Amino acid sequence: MNATIKGRNEIKGEVKVGGAKNAALPLLAALVVNPNVTLLNLPDLTDIKEMLNLLQKSGINHKRKENVTSFSAHDLNGDLSAIPSKIRASILLLGPLAVKNGEAILSYPGGCSIGKRPIDIHIQGLKAMGFDVKIEENFLRAKISHKLREARIRLPFPSVGATEHLMITAAMLEKTTTYISNCAREPEIVELQKFLNSMGAGIKGAGTANIKIEGRSNFSTVDFKIMGDRIEAGTYVILSLINNGEIVINGVEESSLNYVNFLREIGANLIVENSKIVVRPSKIKGFHLETAPYPGFPTDLQPQMGVLALVAEGHSKIVENIFENRLGHVEELKKMGANISVERNKEIKISGSQRLNGANVVGKDLRETATITLAATIAEGKSVVKNFDILYRGYEKVNDKLKGLGVDITLKD
Ligand code: EPZ
């Protein structure tokens, strides 16, 4: 599906973000611990549908009624090898299904083309917890080889997925206490701890670099509301800033918006109060941005910040420190006339006050497609964004929401 966007419309109005994709995916994997759960605010996204499909194949069924999704399961099946996985988050099922069924087999995880996306930290962690893990061609096979009373794991890098994967798995290892250090500290990790503890898990320390998990076996039914998507919110903040617009974004958790401080430092006029962000017209100065694990600036907003740098006053430098191939948006922005230099495939230098011209551009991954869509809203004339439907992986009702904020957009299959 392609989108034709006519640039330079007035951007104003209100938008509500959906449930956070990157909180919902680990919560869904955690249903293996206990499927008797009702989730509120589960976002309607293709990545979520993909995960629900994997759960269905493992024996966990769901029923959705408006914003409420309830789950139940009979006997779980650990062999998902027959299902090719299009999403990275499928790896989170490996440990939990191995605990539940004695053994689990998954196809190698998919995901965005922003880097090699290795899973060595996941595998090292499972092995340190007493699992036997094998990579056989395109499959991952895991089973418990020896029960430990205590497991100690130090992550070589604060991997978000590995932290979540090992937390969920350790929560199910009855009579084993697991200590994980150098953990990721993202708000989605805190959300996962809240969810697991609400059903009876014994986890402490999420949000810090050290997490302690006491494995248990009995878990109770729970209702849980998923937090708002901070990256979807940040993308709409940038949409407003680059168009000098005035918008209100609802449905966010103030505590998850660490990037607001950086945006204010470079001139953004933002008011954050009771679960909303008010974006006012702002004069953005050139900036130096480095992405880093939380509480650093999120890599998932790095491409979008490149468009803000194009319209800022003065020069900017952006350094991507998390993924080795997350500058795919640059070549597309250049088609719109952007003057951007890239060094070592990790550093971007951009002079400000640039004007873009509409062009035919290609969506390749989730945040890159969001970025070129943002750029099309400030370009002179019409742009066609190819593969616009990639956005439905992580931006709920994105076409309606953009239209509601004043973007002149029409979709074509
Ligand atoms: C999660 O991916 C998010 N995805 C990503 O969002 C996000 O960009 C990333 O965390 C960082 O914040 C979900 O939550 C579903 P990592 P994840 O493990 O868990 C390396 C989006 O656009 N690494 O923290 O895959 C890895 O290659 C997506 O919503 C290893 O080397 O990220 C990367 O360079 C994109 N070995 C770095 O760590 C491993 O075993 C961070 O990866 C695991 C990771």
Side-chain angles (χ1 to χ4, degrees), residues 388-406:
F388 178 83
D389 45 322
I390 288 176
L391 287 182
Y392 288 101
R393 291 189 53 183
Y395 290 90
E396 198 179 42
K397 303 188 184 70
V398 60
N399 178 42
D400 302 341
K401 292 184 183 179
L402 289 172
K403 266 202 180 108
L405 291 172

Side-chain angles (χ1 to χ4, degrees), residues 21-23 25-26 47 88-89 91-92 112 114-123 156-164 184 186 188 230-231 292-294 298-300 321-324 326 365-367 394:
K21 167 178 83 80
N22 292 349
L25 288 167
D47 275 15
R88 167 88 181 160
I91 181 78
L92 303 179
C112 285
I114 53 179
K116 287 193 304 297
R117 311 298 296 272
I119 54 170
D120 54 316
I121 303 175
H122 294 253
I123 293 175
F157 180 87
S159 153
V160 171
T163 302
E164 293 164 344
E186 272 69 5
E188 292 76 20
R230 62 193 173 101
I231 303 301
Y294 197 88
T299 172
D300 291 347
N321 293 311
I322 304 290
F323 289 103
E324 68 274 20
R326 196 168 209 175
D365 69 65
L366 179 58
R367 307 303 174 183

